[in-house]
Amino acid sequence: MNRTADIVASAQERSGGCLCGRIRFTVKGKAAYPHTCSCPHCQKLGGGPMMWWAGFAPKDVTWTGESEPTWFETFEGEAKRGFCPHCGSRLAAIDSDVPDLGIVVTALDDTSGLDLVPVNQSFRDNAVHWLPQVPDTQDSPVG
């Protein structure tokens, strides 16, 4: 990527929200470590074989709707998942060992950004056998 494209990506602002629209948010900048995850928690939380995540600096995420996510502690003291208490949409994640706020990419209004293309799939051993896995173009810090 050239320098001009890097500057444009870092200035980018995207919006997103939950299904019922009560929770809205904006994220700024280029997504960090976009990936899918096939861990048992993501499968149960997302209701499918995987979830699609991307990280953004907490300072670059602004909750703009009438409320903010309700946080469910998935692993005590280690991880929280944010969702809408009205419609149940999964929106975000906080992990104690990751500096970025994880955003569920499908909660974004536009998921077409090249910086959102998954670079890895976490927990490959737990993935369903009938769906091709995401190519590994960047090492996964987990799974």
Side-chain angles (χ1 to χ4, degrees), residues 7-83:
I7 292 168
V8 169
S10 67
Q12 184 173 23
E13 182 173 293
R14 300 177 173 106
S15 60
C18 67
L19 187 59
C20 72
R22 289 184 175 139
I23 298 178
R24 297 289 301 160
F25 64 89
T26 60
V27 294
K28 293 180 185 174
K30 186 177 177 183
Y33 191 64
H35 69 287
T36 62
C37 184
S38 296
C39 78
H41 278 241
C42 282
Q43 290 175 338
K44 287 186 186 282
L45 286 169
M50 66 180 70
M51 288 184 76
W52 182 15
W53 296 96
F56 294 90
K59 69 177 182 56
D60 293 334
V61 178
T62 305
W63 303 106
T64 60
E66 63 184 68
S67 65
E68 293 188 11
T70 295
W71 295 94
F72 172 74
E73 197 163 13
T74 50
F75 299 102
E76 191 173 334
E78 293 181 32
K80 295 178 184 178
R81 302 295 179 249
F83 66 96

